[in-house]
Amino acid sequence: MGRLGIDRERPLFIVDVDEVLGLFMASFGVFLQGHGLELRLDRYALFQNIYAPGAAEHLDLAEGRRLFDEFFRRGCADMEPAPGAAEALRRISRQATVVVLSNAPAPARLGRARWLGRHGLDYPLMLSSGPKGPPAAAMAARTTRRCAFVDDLVSNLDSVAEADPGVARFQHVADVRLQPLAPAAPDRHRRIDDWTELGEAVAASLAER
């Protein structure tokens, strides 16, 4: 974790990639089309939204996982960045350390790092798996200042709240098609789907004493 460059005397901003910094589902959908499949946005889910054309039942979950892993080996470099994300992070980085925390498969590290750099998001990257509370709390413990966390999934936001309640938490869903489908918990985590507004809210939370 030392390679992340966390400064004890600076605030810390931890941010997710898929559907936060990048339009993951749009890119994954294009990838699936190349395999003769389709992504139906019927719910806020991943593998349960993969179908063969005309099929009534979604693809087998194990096959969905295989395609997900293949996407990160071959297709994730084509993902479009979320509008406004790069500029918002540039502003936040003037006052805080920025770390990208992504639940991507380990083979995706190089491709994901190159994607971040290509889109003006060249910040330290940490890959993890499972709930994000433990790694986020471990990072937050390395600074004496405020910490903020952004993710699209309520489950990860809840995990961070449990692991370190002092971390400011924000939910963001980048793809406008998914915003009405994404579960939210506004009583626990502030939901902001516009990066300009979100960047200002994060900066304000990090400036608190």
Side-chain angles (χ1 to χ4, degrees), residues 63-80:
E63 178 62 9
R65 166 61 71 176
R66 186 193 69 77
L67 288 164
F68 175 79
D69 290 343
E70 183 178 345
F71 169 77
F72 275 101
R73 285 194 298 271
R74 302 175 185 272
C76 68
D78 297 327
M79 183 168 61
E80 289 295 320

Side-chain angles (χ1 to χ4, degrees), residues 7 14 23 41 49 56 65 77 84 100 103 108 114 140 146 163 165 184 199:
D7 186 337
I14 305 169
L23 300 175
L41 300 181
N49 284 350
R65 166 61 71 176
V100 177
N103 275 1
R114 286 175 174 168
R146 293 280 291 165

Side-chain angles (χ1 to χ4, degrees), residues 13-209:
F13 178 44
I14 305 169
V15 59
D16 183 29
V17 177
D18 299 315
E19 293 311 328
V20 176
L21 297 179
L23 300 175
F24 167 78
M25 291 292 267
S27 182
F28 190 50
V30 172
F31 171 82
L32 292 173
Q33 289 174 7
H35 287 72
L37 299 167
E38 59 188 33
L39 188 67
R40 300 179 192 169
L41 300 181
D42 299 327
R43 63 197 120 179
Y44 204 70
L46 181 55
F47 305 137
Q48 298 96 324
N49 284 350
I50 304 173
Y51 290 81
E57 297 293 329
H58 62 70
L59 203 67
D60 176 75
L61 296 183
E63 178 62 9
R65 166 61 71 176
R66 186 193 69 77
L67 288 164
F68 175 79
D69 290 343
E70 183 178 345
F71 169 77
F72 275 101
R73 285 194 298 271
R74 302 175 185 272
C76 68
D78 297 327
M79 183 168 61
E80 289 295 320
E87 179 56 33
L89 262 65
R90 274 194 292 272
R91 290 194 297 268
I92 292 169
S93 69
R94 296 173 191 148
Q95 72 178 107
T97 303
V98 177
V99 175
V100 177
L101 177 61
S102 174
N103 275 1
R109 172 177 291 279
L110 182 57
R112 176 126 289 184
R114 286 175 174 168
W115 180 87
L116 290 167
R118 187 182 311 121
H119 294 288
L121 297 162
D122 191 14
Y123 303 99
L125 169 65
M126 179 177 180
L127 296 186
S128 64
S129 61
K132 291 187 177 176
M139 283 188 271
R142 299 177 71 89
T143 178
T144 59
R145 303 290 299 280
R146 293 280 291 165
C147 177
F149 172 80
V150 174
D151 202 283
D152 63 310
L153 298 178
V154 170
S155 59
N156 280 327
L157 294 158
D158 284 343
S159 176
V160 170
E162 181 178 355
D164 187 340
V167 174
R169 303 172 306 279
F170 300 87
Q171 184 182 18
H172 177 86
V173 179
D175 192 324
V176 296
R177 302 170 303 165
L178 297 172
Q179 289 168 3
L181 303 174
D187 58 319
R188 302 194 300 277
H189 321 295
R190 188 174 175 187
R191 169 85 175 262
I192 306 176
D193 290 335
D194 174 79
W195 256 112
T196 299
E197 182 183 352
L198 176 60
E200 292 171 354
V202 168
S205 76
L206 293 174
E208 294 175 0
R209 288 288 184 176

